[in-house]
Amino acid sequence: MINEKMVNLGKQPSVIRELFEFGKRRKEEIGEENVFDFSLGNPSVPAPLVVKKELINLLEKEDPTFLHGYTSAMGDEKAREAIVTYINSKYHCKEKKELVYMTCGAAASLTIALKALCNQDDEVIVFAPFFPEYRVFIENSGGKIVVCGFDKNTFEPDMIELEKLINEKTKLLIINSPNNPSGVIYSKECIEKIASLLRSKQKEYNKEIYLLADEPYRELVYNQEEVPYITKYYDNSLVAYSFSKSLSLPGERIGYLLVGNKCFQANSVFYAICGAGRSLGYVCAPSLFQHLIPSVIGKTSNIDDYKENLKELSSLLEEIGYEVVHPQGAFYLFVKALEEDDNEFSKRAREFNLLLVPSTSFGVKGYVRIAYCVSLKQIRNSYNAFKELYMSYL
Amino acid sequence: MINEKMVNLGKQPSVIRELFEFGKRRKEEIGEENVFDFSLGNPSVPAPLVVKKELINLLEKEDPTFLHGYTSAMGDEKAREAIVTYINSKYHCKEKKELVYMTCGAAASLTIALKALCNQDDEVIVFAPFFPEYRVFIENSGGKIVVCGFDKNTFEPDMIELEKLINEKTKLLIINSPNNPSGVIYSKECIEKIASLLRSKQKEYNKEIYLLADEPYRELVYNQEEVPYITKYYDNSLVAYSFSKSLSLPGERIGYLLVGNKCFQANSVFYAICGAGRSLGYVCAPSLFQHLIPSVIGKTSNIDDYKENLKELSSLLEEIGYEVVHPQGAFYLFVKALEEDDNEFSKRAREFNLLLVPSTSFGVKGYVRIAYCVSLKQIRNSYNAFKELYMSYL
């Protein structure tokens, strides 16, 4: 009678959430320090001090009717300007503030972009391994998810499969680099190949095909790797960004959606974004945090803490004998399961109080995701549990 | 190629927004003090001081990873508990915190409730005059809007028409009291009549029909009028609330959706709400403002300022000769246009630099809406313009 699809979606939390809830119960039973919860991508490093300082500064100095008042639906002018000034200077491009739409975080950026671009039954290509909520967001827009496989060595898209998957119904591709869950950064060569293929497919089908870069982890890179800025490689590009991970503000829901200035009929695409935001009930992004942006743009939490976690965790796992995908960014480690069925492996890990997300939920078999945005202490203390889990397979 | 419906929705801002943008340009031309902008429902009274104090307190004392971290999708436990404790004590009911879902404001509450309840082509009844975005939100859910007329004396629903409009496709009714744009509060008797009709229609069609109370203006009442709490009158009730108007925080996007505890299969309805929130991209409501709720629940901005505005504006208009609908709440005055076509009347008002929203956008002909959430000075200074507009019709 009511919307059954929504009931089921609400009843069946994502595998990640389910694992997290299990962890909560288990911690109550045996104590927090005895559960090694690697389930959630919730930043463990606090927001930089400048966030607190500037928020208090705004609260002390600004007129509250301005500070907490509606901004225009596309966002506060100064926030939008600060964002493009930063991007243009850092990535040497020419984005326009008129094409930046402030959002309530990356999930909102994605649902809005999908609703703006897709008509019923349009196809949206995602690359395994991929963030499981993509499926939910694509379905909400009326689109259909199409999953493309990956190169087992690089964890980059399988270009041969991709070429076969693009057809006259393809509306857009979503890429996510640095990637959740693999931590892999798509190389410049990889992006160039995708762009070149899309250009030829646009000609073949005489239509626009969009490329949406979902990049909440852009700043979380550990060895000065370059994360190619997508609008420089492909004209019909959109960028979905969130300050959740870079500034450790995941609960505040602040991000943006940028339409590349060379996008075909960029203004129409931007109008569609405004329409989609309105239709989904997003009146404006939270105003206090919009007003914060100009003074914190380009700053990040202390990323070195994650780097240290990564180093410690990788060497600990490799010492035991696990096979890991060496990540270049984000705060996830993708580790080969010790049996074919990653769900079974994740279940057995629970017996050792290790909460590891099975990779099937990311569209890939045979791995688990370890979110290492946790305390260094937790990583060190988990050694025995990982060791015992490993031994149980010998 | 992209979603044309969204392009058009983005291109054609609401009449209210269009008027507001005209005002902005006009202010640049002739000076802000010479434009009498009554277009927007943007609170003019600042947030109470306790908001600033408690926000700074939270920023100073709480761990930032908690303060800015994800809450659960349904919201922070303490915020949800504070809300039901307040409601149960004030309205003598027995709502449950487990049935409160924190949202990014009233628009989000509405889009989420509609998506949770509606299947394709379900009918949603709204009562003229109504908030124009209802149409957009209902269409997003796949539902169809059905407009019911009103009693010309009381501005309450026309019960005879309502009875005819309810059929086997009716999924829910939305009521909005205190009403935007009329300021009218639906009386207890009115609510009882709607509830009784719905109960008999539920039996007739052997199905659930839901009643959704959209009430961002609940606390903005001027003469101790009672705003009936809907869950006490009808079991299948939901309440969409926002702190935007009561606490003057419209930009912060904080509100909630409550499922009445006597609602049929309330848990399933709540699951559907969780599913709909997830599907629309609402990960959680902004966390800092969720954590603020327990210390500000039940408090409001200085409502007396609006009361004074209302008194001044009504007597000024009536002195000139205008016919006004005497409001009991909210911060809008509904005034009879001086010609049949309210769009033409609004256009002529522009010539006198008066920005009044034509009532056609609210589904009613022959009125304009005056948002009196402005400075008292603006109201006083607008006297001559209102007088000249009136004279131009003699």
Side-chain angles (χ1 to χ4, degrees):
Chain A
M1 265 275 297
I2 62 175
N3 192 320
E4 277 303 315
K5 217 169 149 180
M6 292 304 117
V7 176
N8 291 331
L9 204 54
K11 240 184 208 169
Q12 296 161 352
S14 68
V15 178
I16 300 171
R17 278 276 164 192
E18 199 267 322
L19 207 55
F20 173 72
E21 297 297 336
F22 167 83
K24 257 169 73 174
R25 290 194 303 276
R26 194 76 185 121
K27 283 171 193 171
E28 280 164 23
E29 286 165 23
I30 61 167
E32 201 165 337
E33 69 286 2
N34 297 315
V35 180
F36 310 107
D37 184 352
F38 295 101
S39 65
L40 272 197
N42 202 359
S44 54
V45 177
L49 270 176
V50 63
V51 165
K52 173 177 160 179
K53 198 181 131 244
E54 289 295 337
L55 285 173
I56 292 176
N57 191 32
L58 285 167
L59 288 162
E60 295 282 12
K61 293 197 180 147
E62 291 290 350
D63 173 1
T65 57
F66 163 76
L67 195 59
H68 306 301
Y70 292 116
T71 69
S72 80
M74 50 276 266
D76 176 67
E77 280 290 301
K78 284 184 184 160
R80 297 162 76 201
E81 190 164 351
I83 287 164
V84 292
T85 304
Y86 169 73
I87 288 170
N88 289 343
S89 138
K90 182 149 187 191
Y91 304 111
H92 312 290
C93 45
K94 292 178 178 167
E95 303 310 334
K96 292 182 187 166
K97 69 171 181 197
E98 292 79 12
L99 295 176
V100 172
Y101 181 92
M102 300 301 298
T103 64
C104 293
S109 300
L110 292 168
T111 52
I112 291 171
L114 286 161
K115 177 107 186 173
L117 295 174
C118 289
N119 293 298
Q120 196 64 35
D121 298 330
D122 276 350
E123 293 184 1
V124 181
I125 297 176
V126 303
F127 299 97
F130 64 92
F131 181 49
E133 294 299 276
Y134 285 171
R135 185 180 298 275
V136 177
F137 300 158
I138 291 167
E139 282 175 4
N140 179 63
S141 75
K144 281 186 177 170
I145 188 169
V146 174
V147 181
C148 180
F150 60 101
D151 179 310
K152 302 287 177 295
N153 294 312
T154 62
F155 272 77
E156 289 181 339
D158 178 335
M159 293 303 296
I160 294 163
E161 188 179 349
L162 177 59
E163 178 159 10
K164 288 181 196 149
L165 290 176
I166 298 175
N167 62 45
E168 67 282 347
K169 286 195 157 185
T170 307
K171 178 55 63 70
L172 80 149
L173 280 63
I174 304 179
I175 59 171
N176 172 220
S177 161
N179 183 263
N180 171 10
S182 74
V184 163
I185 296 173
Y186 289 3
S187 66
K188 200 177 138 190
E189 293 67 37
C190 167
I191 299 293
E192 278 168 347
K193 273 188 222 158
I194 295 175
S196 159
L197 175 62
L198 287 185
R199 276 190 292 269
S200 85
K201 290 289 180 181
Q202 287 196 135
K203 270 192 200 142
E204 182 180 341
Y205 296 112
N206 192 28
K207 62 172 286 192
E208 312 303 316
I209 302 174
Y210 299 88
L211 187 55
L212 173 60
D214 172 28
E215 42 187 52
Y217 303 100
R218 167 165 285 279
E219 284 82 11
L220 275 63
V221 297
Y222 303 116
N223 298 304
Q224 276 89 43
E225 285 95 348
E226 188 199 350
V227 183
Y229 204 75
I230 200 79
T231 62
K232 294 168 71 178
Y233 297 85
Y234 186 65
D235 288 355
N236 283 332
S237 284
L238 288 85
V239 178
Y241 184 82
S242 160
F243 295 95
S244 291
K245 315 291 179 175
S246 59
L247 282 170
S248 298
L249 299 173
E252 304 301 356
R253 313 314 302 145
I254 182 79
Y256 62 82
L257 184 57
L258 175 146
V259 179
N261 76 86
K262 286 178 285 180
C263 196
F264 178 69
Q265 297 187 330
N267 289 337
S268 282
V269 173
F270 193 77
Y271 279 133
I273 285 167
C274 295
R278 191 177 158 191
S279 150
L280 298 175
Y282 291 102
V283 173
C284 65
S287 53
L288 175 63
F289 283 86
Q290 285 197 62
H291 297 307
L292 172 71
I293 297 302
S295 46
V296 299
I297 186 84
K299 303 202 167 101
T300 66
S301 306
N302 185 12
I303 305 301
D304 285 346
D305 285 1
Y306 296 128
K307 195 173 167 179
E308 200 180 342
N309 283 358
L310 169 60
K311 208 176 132 194
E312 189 90 7
L313 181 65
S314 315
S315 59
L316 175 154
L317 291 171
E318 293 191 310
E319 188 196 310
I320 297 172
Y322 289 95
E323 193 183 316
V324 312
V325 178
H326 282 280
Q328 300 143 319
F331 40 46
Y332 306 107
L333 193 63
F334 220 41
V335 178
K336 201 114 178 70
L338 298 176
E339 60 182 304
E340 246 178 60
D341 186 333
D342 48 271
N343 284 310
E344 285 304 315
F345 179 64
S346 169
K347 266 186 207 158
R348 186 170 323 176
R350 283 194 199 192
E351 292 170 22
F352 300 91
N353 300 309
L354 281 168
L355 308 188
L356 316 176
V357 183
S359 63
T360 298
S361 47
F362 302 101
V364 168
K365 286 191 199 307
Y367 291 82
V368 285
R369 185 191 80 171
I370 303 184
Y372 57 84
C373 43
V374 298
S375 69
L376 193 54
K377 194 176 151 204
Q378 179 182 320
I379 292 174
R380 287 181 180 152
N381 289 347
S382 68
Y383 179 84
N384 282 342
F386 275 115
K387 178 94 186 178
E388 284 164 25
L389 173 63
Y390 189 85
M391 300 296 282
S392 80
Y393 279 95
L394 297 184
Chain B
M1 267 276 294
I2 62 174
N3 192 321
E4 277 304 314
K5 217 170 151 181
M6 293 303 118
V7 176
N8 291 331
L9 204 56
K11 239 184 206 166
Q12 296 160 355
S14 69
V15 178
I16 300 171
R17 278 276 162 187
E18 198 268 323
L19 208 56
F20 173 73
E21 297 296 334
F22 168 85
K24 257 170 73 173
R25 292 193 302 274
R26 194 78 184 120
K27 284 170 192 172
E28 279 164 24
E29 286 164 25
I30 62 168
E32 201 166 335
E33 67 287 2
N34 297 314
V35 180
F36 309 107
D37 185 351
F38 295 102
S39 64
L40 272 198
N42 202 1
S44 54
V45 177
L49 272 176
V50 63
V51 164
K52 173 176 160 180
K53 199 182 131 245
E54 289 295 337
L55 286 173
I56 292 176
N57 193 31
L58 285 167
L59 288 161
E60 295 283 12
K61 293 196 181 148
E62 292 289 351
D63 172 1
T65 56
F66 163 76
L67 195 60
H68 306 302
Y70 292 117
T71 68
S72 80
M74 48 277 266
D76 176 67
E77 281 289 303
K78 285 186 183 158
R80 297 162 77 201
E81 188 164 352
I83 287 164
V84 291
T85 303
Y86 170 73
I87 289 170
N88 289 344
S89 138
K90 183 152 185 188
Y91 303 112
H92 312 290
C93 44
K94 291 178 180 167
E95 302 310 336
K96 291 182 188 165
K97 70 172 182 197
E98 292 78 12
L99 296 175
V100 172
Y101 181 91
M102 301 302 298
T103 65
C104 293
S109 300
L110 292 168
T111 51
I112 291 171
L114 286 161
K115 177 105 186 174
L117 295 175
C118 289
N119 292 297
Q120 196 65 35
D121 298 330
D122 276 349
E123 293 185 1
V124 180
I125 298 177
V126 303
F127 299 98
F130 66 92
F131 181 49
E133 295 297 274
Y134 285 172
R135 187 180 297 278
V136 177
F137 299 158
I138 291 168
E139 281 175 6
N140 178 64
S141 75
K144 281 186 176 170
I145 188 169
V146 174
V147 181
C148 179
F150 60 101
D151 180 310
K152 301 286 178 295
N153 295 312
T154 61
F155 272 77
E156 289 181 339
D158 179 336
M159 292 303 297
I160 294 162
E161 189 179 349
L162 177 59
E163 179 159 10
K164 287 180 197 152
L165 291 176
I166 298 175
N167 61 45
E168 67 282 350
K169 286 194 158 188
T170 306
K171 179 55 63 69
L172 81 150
L173 281 63
I174 304 179
I175 59 171
N176 172 220
S177 161
N179 183 263
N180 171 11
S182 74
V184 163
I185 296 173
Y186 290 2
S187 66
K188 200 177 140 190
E189 292 68 36
C190 167
I191 299 294
E192 278 169 347
K193 272 188 223 159
I194 295 175
S196 158
L197 175 62
L198 287 185
R199 275 190 291 269
S200 83
K201 290 289 180 182
Q202 287 196 134
K203 269 191 201 144
E204 184 180 340
Y205 296 113
N206 190 27
K207 63 172 285 194
E208 312 302 316
I209 301 174
Y210 298 89
L211 186 56
L212 173 60
D214 173 28
E215 40 188 51
Y217 302 101
R218 165 164 287 278
E219 283 82 12
L220 275 65
V221 297
Y222 301 117
N223 298 303
Q224 276 89 41
E225 284 97 347
E226 188 199 350
V227 183
Y229 204 75
I230 201 77
T231 62
K232 292 167 71 177
Y233 296 86
Y234 186 66
D235 289 354
N236 283 332
S237 284
L238 287 84
V239 178
Y241 184 83
S242 159
F243 295 94
S244 292
K245 316 292 179 174
S246 58
L247 282 171
S248 298
L249 298 173
E252 304 300 355
R253 313 315 300 143
I254 182 80
Y256 62 83
L257 184 57
L258 175 147
V259 179
N261 75 85
K262 285 178 284 180
C263 196
F264 177 69
Q265 297 186 330
N267 289 337
S268 282
V269 173
F270 193 76
Y271 278 132
I273 286 167
C274 295
R278 191 177 157 191
S279 150
L280 297 173
Y282 291 102
V283 173
C284 64
S287 52
L288 175 63
F289 284 86
Q290 285 198 62
H291 296 306
L292 173 70
I293 298 303
S295 46
V296 300
I297 186 83
K299 304 203 166 99
T300 67
S301 305
N302 185 10
I303 306 301
D304 286 346
D305 285 1
Y306 296 129
K307 194 173 168 179
E308 199 179 342
N309 283 359
L310 168 60
K311 208 175 134 195
E312 189 90 7
L313 181 65
S314 316
S315 60
L316 175 154
L317 290 171
E318 292 192 309
E319 187 195 311
I320 297 172
Y322 288 96
E323 194 182 314
V324 313
V325 177
H326 283 282
Q328 300 144 317
F331 40 45
Y332 307 107
L333 194 63
F334 220 40
V335 178
K336 201 116 179 73
L338 297 175
E339 60 181 301
E340 246 177 59
D341 186 332
D342 49 271
N343 283 310
E344 284 305 315
F345 179 65
S346 169
K347 266 186 205 157
R348 191 180 305 184
R350 283 194 199 194
E351 293 170 22
F352 299 93
N353 300 309
L354 280 168
L355 307 189
L356 317 176
V357 182
S359 62
T360 298
S361 48
F362 301 100
V364 169
K365 284 188 199 307
Y367 291 82
V368 284
R369 186 192 78 169
I370 303 183
Y372 56 82
C373 42
V374 297
S375 70
L376 193 55
K377 194 174 153 205
Q378 179 182 318
I379 291 174
R380 286 181 180 149
N381 288 348
S382 69
Y383 179 85
N384 283 341
F386 275 115
K387 179 94 185 176
E388 284 165 25
L389 172 63
Y390 190 86
M391 301 295 282
S392 80
Y393 279 95
L394 295 185

